[in-house]
Amino acid sequence: ISANGHVFFVNKDVVEVSKHLKTSLASNFLEGTTKEIKLNIDQEILEVCIKYMHYKLIYQNLPHTERPQFHIDAPNALNVLNAAVYLQC
């Protein structure tokens, strides 16, 4: 769930690309029980991170030279980077 209340339904394999989310879901805390994680990340930024995790999962076995480019809009780049560092993805 994003900071502004948007709910994302994400496949477990995609979520587990993020070390932070994987650890949260495996914990004995509320997140591990409900499988619902509330993040202090805006919807637009979180959506880009989820798309990147999906991209990373799909293309993980291809050499970097054969992967299509993942585009991030310049105005959001710093916020996406900060969120990606936090999510460890």
Side-chain angles (χ1 to χ4, degrees), residues 26-66:
S27 74
N28 291 327
F29 295 109
L30 185 62
E31 294 86 354
T33 306
T34 63
K35 306 302 181 200
E36 185 176 286
I37 302 172
K38 295 179 182 176
L39 297 166
N40 192 22
I41 301 172
D42 288 336
Q43 172 186 346
E44 184 178 3
I45 303 304
L46 185 55
E47 183 174 357
V48 173
C49 291
I50 292 170
K51 287 179 180 179
Y52 177 74
M53 290 186 288
H54 191 254
Y55 164 89
K56 191 172 179 181
L57 182 67
I58 290 172
Y59 297 110
Q60 67 185 349
N61 295 324
L62 285 179
H64 292 286
T65 55
E66 295 181 23

Side-chain angles (χ1 to χ4, degrees), residues 12-27 37 39 49 52-53 56 83-89:
K12 183 180 177 184
D13 293 338
V14 175
V15 169
E16 289 183 347
V17 170
S18 161
K19 292 177 184 177
H20 175 76
L21 297 178
K22 183 178 181 178
T23 302
S24 295
L25 291 175
S27 74
I37 302 172
L39 297 166
C49 291
Y52 177 74
M53 290 186 288
K56 191 172 179 181
V85 167
Y86 175 75
L87 295 172
Q88 300 173 338
C89 61

